Amino acid sequence: MTIKLAKSEQTLQAIIKTALQIAVVEGLQAVTLGEVAKRMDISKSGVFARVGSVEALQSMVIKEYSRIFVANVFTPALSAPRGLPRLNAIMRLWIGRGTGENAFAGGLHATAAFDLDHVDSNLRDELLDAVMAWRVLLKGAIVRCIEEGHLRPETDPSQLTFEINSLMIGFLHESRFVRDPLAHERATSAYQRLISTYRSFSYAD
């Protein structure tokens, strides 16, 4: 790779990073070529030359957010023992993405879904694919819990996945909109209470 191409790639990565910072704070629809150019102190044409369109840039943001989210929530949890300890680790990391310095880093999938839920577009389809890919990982972790005997055999993985996602949407609302300083503790308590209703009587932490 030539120095010129390497520099162009670095600029593209910086554009995506800047756009992602805008998206997690202000929403996906706030990502525009002009706003990214302004924050980077470069020309709008310079941004356009590297991404092509605002829709293409927003698509890149969805892909990069999904990559970072999985790398920070799912991948580290793989070091925990298979089954409920791993699911608990996923939830601890997921809730942690929505608090403290990460307060705006945990909810782009949810917030962007509300931005795009009323339109049929390629961007909506890409976001839906990303959301469903995450749900597949979460559901898989729940299935492992059942296989290990940590959750009762009659547990419906799809139902528990739905309930966990619903809990997290509520948590993001309380953390971001209501700004409840106890949102983290409340979400953790709610998850523990939820999972206790599915826990196998023979399993002890």
Side-chain angles (χ1 to χ4, degrees):
M1 182 180 289
T2 66
I3 294 176
K4 184 176 181 180
L5 286 175
K7 184 176 181 180
S8 180
E9 178 62 23
Q10 290 175 353
T11 302
L12 174 60
Q13 293 307 312
I15 288 171
I16 296 172
K17 181 179 179 180
T18 300
L20 180 57
Q21 291 171 342
I22 295 170
V24 297
V25 175
E26 301 176 34
L28 191 63
Q29 297 303 314
V31 175
T32 65
L33 303 185
E35 184 60 27
V36 170
K38 176 182 176 182
R39 297 196 185 195
M40 293 183 65
D41 195 24
I42 62 176
S43 68
K44 182 177 177 180
S45 61
V47 176
F48 176 81
R50 288 170 174 82
V51 302
S53 68
V54 65
E55 291 81 9
L57 178 56
Q58 290 171 340
S59 174
M60 293 175 191
V61 166
I62 291 173
K63 291 182 175 66
E64 180 65 3
Y65 174 81
S66 299
R67 183 192 69 78
I68 292 173
F69 185 81
V70 170
N72 283 273
V73 173
F74 183 76
T75 303
L78 293 177
S79 62
R82 176 185 168 105
L84 193 52
R86 186 171 297 173
L87 179 60
N88 289 341
I90 289 171
M91 293 305 298
R92 182 177 65 253
L93 292 165
W94 192 1
I95 292 172
R97 291 292 290 174
T99 57
E101 293 182 357
N102 289 323
F104 294 100
L108 184 62
H109 281 164
T111 56
F114 287 110
D115 286 338
L116 299 172
D117 64 354
H118 61 293
V119 295
D120 290 324
S121 66
N122 291 334
L123 197 63
R124 182 188 186 280
D125 291 342
E126 289 185 25
L127 179 63
L128 180 59
D129 287 344
V131 168
M132 298 311 294
W134 167 244
R135 290 193 182 186
V136 167
L137 294 177
L138 181 60
K139 183 178 177 180
I142 293 170
V143 169
R144 301 292 92 74
C145 292
I146 300 170
E147 292 173 346
E148 293 294 318
H150 299 166
L151 299 181
R152 297 198 306 274
E154 67 271 21
T155 297
D156 181 346
S158 296
Q159 179 64 28
L160 182 51
T161 299
F162 171 84
E163 291 174 2
I164 288 175
N165 272 289
S166 297
L167 185 159
M168 290 304 297
I169 290 174
F171 162 61
L172 292 168
H173 180 274
E174 296 301 299
S175 177
R176 294 188 57 166
F177 182 70
V178 178
R179 298 179 183 174
D180 181 356
L182 297 178
H184 179 280
E185 289 79 1
R186 297 190 197 284
T188 300
S189 178
Y191 166 70
Q192 292 172 345
R193 186 176 298 108
L194 171 63
I195 209 66
S196 70
T197 67
Y198 287 94
R199 194 192 307 269
S200 172
F201 296 118
S202 61
Y203 176 71
D205 292 325

